[in-house]
Amino acid sequence: MWIGSIMPLSALIGGIIGGPCIEYIGRRNTILSTALPFLAGWLFIALATNVAMILVGRSICGFCVGVASLSLPVYLGESIQPEVRGSLGLLPTVFGNSGILMCFTAGMYLAWRNLALLGACIPIIFLILMFLIPETPRWYISKGKIKEARKSLQWLRGKTADISEELDSIQKMHIESERIATEGALIELFRKNHIKPVFISLGLMFFQQFSGINAVIFYTVQIFKDSGSTVDENLSTIIVGLVNFISTFVAAMIIDRLGRKMLLYISSILMCITLFTFGTFFYVKELMDVTAFGWIPLMSLIVYVIGFSFGFGPIPWLMMGEILPVKIRGTAASVATAFNWSCTFVVTKTYEDLVLHIGPYGTFWLFGTLVAVAFIFVIICVPETRGRSLEEIERRFAGPVRRTSAIANLKPMPITI
């Protein structure tokens, strides 16, 4: 049990430590600092002679995941133009899901030690490529390094781009945030114009994890065994991983057309329907023979993963980098990330206990009910951030604004003949 749950517990610690790191040493350097520990963690697992070494390796990797899951959204949110921030901001999730698919597929053919060695190769490539990109302009400005900020922004926008207006806007927002900041970092979280974006970010993180996704991913093989499905368990995990990857890729292509809220609506509806379907299958299984319906768990899981990958998988991380005010971005992102991994730990650690006490059907019905609450939360609380600069989003939280419908924000899809 601890081999599965030690990773999110360590990621929680990484999330707490990552917040101060991105403020003091920068977003880029924080991300860069995870490469060698990632490599060491995988080598601990590959060379393990006992369970303790595996736990140490999982702990190191989990710590790095916690740091990266905080710093990557902040880096991308501060670097990418508003018009494509949604699409490009989802790329870490796309690549993360491709890693899950790679592990699922390679796991069918490789021993676990060789699989760990394969994992150890990735941080080497990651380390080399990170040296090629600059620090974010907003971090440079927060440190008073205007010349470096201009150089960074010029690199990000292209040599011929006119960056004067954007750089001025970033500087003005920083000066304004410094002017109104009077309290310590944690106290700042509870300021009137800060508490709402923090609450929204925490809410999205809560519903992301209590949709049950990590329980489903970590225990996919066991779920299919328990369901009596006629589909091969290992093949099912590969199918789920492939669907997860393709769905996130599709979401990345359409998020800047449909908007964040519309994808969250679609996500919660699909997950709610499939979780109740999955729970009903397990309930009926206890009453009668369901061998002829062995395809239902796989289909339910596929639609569930599509729903999660469309919205509640990537968007909470994307919006964390968008809606948190610049003055508290490091501290608030640290709190949100630590909270996310706390929820992950609780879900993965208690999943088997839930199944034991309320049955698999009760467990999936519970997750489904929480997703229905998430749908209401999105309607009432979550703003649409598509096409807005970080400075516009921050100003919007600072004063009263009219909340518009996500449907009214729809852009027409291009028609090709």
Side-chain angles (χ1 to χ4, degrees):
M1 173 67 81
W2 277 104
I3 290 178
S5 55
I6 194 70
M7 195 278 282
L9 185 61
S10 302
L12 186 162
I13 300 171
I16 294 172
I17 294 176
C21 287
I22 65 171
E23 293 296 343
Y24 291 112
I25 68 173
R27 284 66 159 139
R28 172 185 175 272
N29 288 336
T30 300
I31 298 169
L32 185 61
S33 68
T34 64
L36 292 179
F38 257 129
L39 176 61
W42 281 114
L43 290 178
F44 258 101
I45 297 172
L47 303 176
T49 56
N50 51 55
V51 174
M53 288 185 69
I54 295 177
L55 290 175
V56 169
R58 290 275 294 172
S59 298
I60 295 172
C61 289
F63 176 85
C64 294
V65 167
V67 174
S69 62
L70 174 148
S71 49
L72 279 171
V74 173
Y75 181 91
L76 293 172
E78 292 185 350
S79 302
I80 302 170
Q81 301 97 313
E83 297 80 11
V84 293
R85 193 173 56 236
S87 298
L88 297 183
L90 293 195
L91 285 182
T93 308
V94 172
F95 288 124
N97 289 339
S98 68
I100 293 173
L101 176 61
M102 182 184 73
C103 287
F104 281 170
T105 306
M108 287 189 68
Y109 306 102
L110 297 177
W112 62 270
R113 290 185 188 275
N114 293 331
L115 187 61
L117 288 173
L118 176 63
C121 296
I122 307 299
I124 298 174
I125 304 169
F126 165 65
L127 178 64
I128 295 170
L129 294 177
M130 279 302 300
F131 279 107
L132 304 179
I133 64 174
E135 182 54 79
T136 72
R138 287 172 174 84
W139 185 80
Y140 277 133
I141 287 175
S142 73
K143 301 302 178 183
K145 300 179 179 181
I146 307 302
K147 183 178 178 181
E148 290 87 346
R150 179 178 293 278
K151 185 179 178 181
S152 170
L153 189 59
Q154 193 72 69
W155 188 94
L156 290 165
R157 300 295 180 258
K159 292 181 180 180
T160 60
D162 182 4
I163 61 169
S164 300
E165 185 178 344
E166 184 176 0
L167 189 63
D168 287 344
S169 176
I170 296 171
Q171 286 181 274
K172 288 177 182 177
M173 197 68 228
H174 173 69
I175 293 170
E176 179 65 17
S177 66
E178 286 292 317
R179 185 181 64 81
I180 64 174
T182 57
E183 307 289 348
L186 286 175
I187 300 299
E188 281 289 324
L189 297 180
F190 299 98
R191 287 178 63 90
K192 184 178 180 181
N193 58 326
H194 291 167
I195 195 163
K196 185 175 181 180
V198 171
F199 168 74
I200 292 169
S201 188
L202 292 176
L204 289 173
M205 294 300 187
F206 173 84
F207 289 117
Q208 180 196 68
Q209 293 305 322
F210 278 88
S211 68
I213 184 61
N214 277 301
V216 171
I217 294 295
F218 290 169
Y219 297 100
T220 300
V221 173
Q222 187 61 43
I223 288 170
F224 276 93
K225 284 182 179 178
D226 293 344
S227 70
S229 173
T230 55
V231 182
D232 179 75
E233 299 96 344
N234 290 314
L235 178 60
S236 299
T237 60
I238 294 175
I239 294 172
V240 169
L242 182 62
V243 169
N244 193 20
F245 169 71
I246 294 174
S247 301
T248 311
F249 191 79
V250 172
M253 291 191 294
I254 65 176
I255 188 170
D256 285 316
R257 291 186 183 138
L258 297 183
R260 283 65 162 155
K261 290 192 73 167
M262 182 56 67
L263 289 187
L264 287 171
Y265 291 153
I266 295 170
S267 176
S268 52
I269 290 170
L270 289 178
M271 286 196 296
C272 189
I273 291 172
T274 52
L275 283 168
F276 277 104
T277 301
F278 213 10
T280 302
F281 175 86
F282 276 102
Y283 181 78
V284 174
K285 179 177 176 288
E286 294 191 0
L287 303 176
M288 56 181 287
D289 181 23
V290 293
T291 305
F293 303 97
W295 52 271
I296 290 181
L298 178 59
M299 288 303 300
S300 296
L301 214 52
I302 286 174
V303 178
Y304 170 79
V305 169
I306 290 173
F308 181 82
S309 302
F310 254 51
F312 270 97
I315 290 177
W317 295 110
L318 172 67
M319 293 195 73
M320 183 184 77
E322 290 182 324
I323 67 176
L324 296 178
V326 63
K327 186 61 184 176
I328 62 164
R329 193 164 290 150
T331 305
S334 181
V335 170
T337 302
F339 179 71
N340 180 284
W341 289 107
S342 300
C343 294
T344 306
F345 174 74
V346 170
V347 171
T348 54
K349 195 75 173 68
T350 61
Y351 171 74
E352 291 189 341
D353 293 328
L354 280 173
V355 171
L356 182 64
H357 287 93
I358 63 176
Y361 56 87
T363 303
F364 287 110
W365 285 343
L366 174 62
F367 289 146
T369 301
L370 289 172
V371 172
V373 177
F375 180 79
I376 299 171
F377 175 80
V378 173
I379 294 174
I380 297 173
C381 300
V382 178
E384 181 55 71
T385 58
R386 174 174 58 86
R388 295 186 173 93
S389 70
L390 299 188
E391 289 70 35
E392 287 177 309
I393 295 168
E394 185 166 345
R395 281 192 291 268
R396 192 178 184 191
F397 279 116
V401 294
R402 181 174 58 87
R403 183 169 60 86
T404 56
S405 168
I407 296 175
N409 284 328
L410 283 176
K411 288 185 179 179
M413 299 286 283
I415 301 174
T416 57
I417 300 177

